[in-house]
Amino acid sequence: MEHAEIILKQICIMGLYMAAGFFLYRKKLITQDGSRSFAHLLLYLILPCVVLQSFHIERTPEKIQALLISLAAAIAALTLSIVVSIFVFRKCSIDCFGSSFSNAGFMGFPLITAVLGNETIFYAAGFVAFLNVLQATIGQYILSGNRKLCSLKTIFTNPLVLSMAVGLLLFFTGLNIPNIGMSCISSLANMNAPLAMMVLGVYLAQSDLKSVFTSKRLYWVSCVRLVIISLLTIPLLRVIAGNRQEIVIALAIACCTPVGGNVAVYAQKLDLDYVYAVRLICLSTILSIITIPFILYLL
């Protein structure tokens, strides 16, 4: 019951942020061009700060070992998710992207903290970092079919890839960002959830709300994202993490969260049907009230 209350609280917070964006767009205080600018702000500044903040922790031998295990498990879990999604939704790019990538940051982090404690966020930091990197590279290729978005030059000049490289460098060398710099990064990272959800609210204001609950296709994509991929991921995590139960649970929670908000952000960036993407996000988030406690029960 406690876990369900946490999930409901996060969805309520998300709904309030989205409602703000919805209201501002309907009152013509935010335009489509304005929402596109916000999306670019998220992709090129705020999300890199989220990645950097994830790796800004004290280095110990135990944490280095846990990081390596959690990174290996995260890569395996994300690879599985992408492969399953491509197999099932190879004819629809938005469905494939949405099924592949979860909302592990905004929905996952609070749940992990509530279930396991603040220290265990570290186990999912690599997952969220890789998730953002893969969305920016392979995810954009899935959506556009443009191989140039996966070129080495594109990958190594991507702000999310660069921020992850810097984060790993800082962690393994023990170097610290000065307090004033870290304070700035943390403040920007904290803007992620509110700004991302407000952008989705703007998208939702352009959508037919009735169609969110009447599309069988949306239910099928949500089922793959929330149930099928989650159930396939749990035994994989157990094989890699062994008896490190906290790593298994933290990453399982990150994997079983609903469709991530970036599917709409990237869809708009690439001039695709981002309104449909918003409908997918909304329905999968609502259905996750049921599915996430079910997955936690299995664990």
Side-chain angles (χ1 to χ4, degrees):
M1 182 61 70
E2 181 184 354
H3 299 160
E5 291 176 0
I6 296 166
I7 296 165
L8 183 59
K9 178 182 177 181
Q10 289 305 119
I11 292 174
C12 288
I13 293 172
M14 180 183 292
L16 290 173
Y17 290 147
M18 292 179 69
F22 186 98
F23 174 81
L24 290 172
Y25 180 82
R26 285 294 175 91
K27 292 297 182 179
K28 299 183 179 179
L29 297 173
I30 295 180
T31 64
Q32 277 188 293
D33 289 338
S35 67
R36 186 185 294 270
S37 297
F38 284 146
H40 287 162
L41 181 63
L42 280 166
L43 294 173
Y44 295 108
L45 179 62
I46 294 175
L47 284 175
C49 288
V50 173
V51 174
L52 276 177
Q53 186 184 44
S54 297
F55 286 101
H56 193 259
I57 53 177
E58 181 184 359
R59 179 171 59 98
T60 64
E62 293 78 14
K63 287 187 177 179
I64 291 176
Q65 185 180 26
L67 174 64
L68 294 176
I69 293 173
S70 63
L71 288 177
I75 293 172
L78 286 165
T79 300
L80 173 65
S81 180
I82 293 170
V83 169
V84 170
S85 299
I86 290 175
F87 177 77
V88 178
F89 301 114
R90 56 184 175 274
K91 293 184 180 180
C92 181
S93 61
I94 292 179
D95 289 348
C96 185
F97 186 108
S99 175
S100 296
F101 304 112
S102 66
N103 197 353
F106 181 61
M107 291 290 291
F109 277 2
L111 286 171
I112 294 168
T113 299
V115 175
L116 299 174
N118 290 324
E119 292 295 322
T120 55
I121 284 294
F122 171 70
Y123 299 136
F127 183 95
V128 173
F130 278 125
L131 177 72
N132 284 309
V133 169
L134 291 173
Q135 285 179 327
T137 51
I138 293 175
Q140 288 197 84
Y141 171 67
I142 289 173
L143 287 175
S144 67
N146 185 356
R147 291 185 180 274
K148 292 182 178 179
L149 295 174
C150 281
S151 67
L152 289 178
K153 180 180 178 181
T154 301
I155 292 173
F156 288 113
T157 57
N158 184 281
L160 290 170
V161 177
L162 292 174
S163 62
M164 182 176 173
V166 172
L168 287 170
L169 177 65
L170 293 174
F171 176 76
F172 283 109
T173 60
L175 296 174
N176 290 317
I177 299 174
N179 288 337
I180 188 170
M182 198 60 224
S183 178
C184 181
I185 289 171
S186 297
S187 296
L188 288 169
N190 290 336
M191 293 172 62
N192 179 40
L195 188 58
M197 293 306 110
M198 286 181 67
V199 171
L200 294 181
V202 173
Y203 297 162
L204 189 61
Q206 305 166 50
S207 165
D208 176 14
L209 294 180
K210 182 180 178 181
S211 63
V212 171
F213 300 99
T214 57
S215 171
K216 293 180 180 179
R217 176 178 163 191
L218 292 178
Y219 282 98
W220 171 232
V221 180
S222 297
C223 177
V224 174
R225 165 71 264 154
L226 296 170
V227 180
I228 295 176
I229 290 176
S230 297
L231 293 178
L232 291 174
T233 301
I234 291 174
L236 177 65
L237 295 176
R238 291 195 182 280
V239 169
I240 296 173
N243 61 356
R244 293 177 176 269
Q245 184 73 349
E246 287 189 338
I247 294 178
V248 173
I249 295 176
L251 291 178
I253 292 173
C255 291
C256 73
T257 51
V259 174
N262 281 341
V263 63
V265 174
Y266 282 110
Q268 186 187 35
K269 178 176 179 285
L270 297 169
D271 295 319
L272 300 174
D273 188 1
Y274 62 86
V275 175
Y276 168 78
V278 173
R279 295 171 188 162
L280 179 57
I281 294 163
C282 292
L283 183 63
S284 68
T285 300
I286 293 170
L287 294 177
S288 71
I289 299 174
I290 299 171
T291 60
I292 293 178
F294 170 70
I295 298 299
L296 292 179
Y297 173 76
L298 292 180
L299 287 169

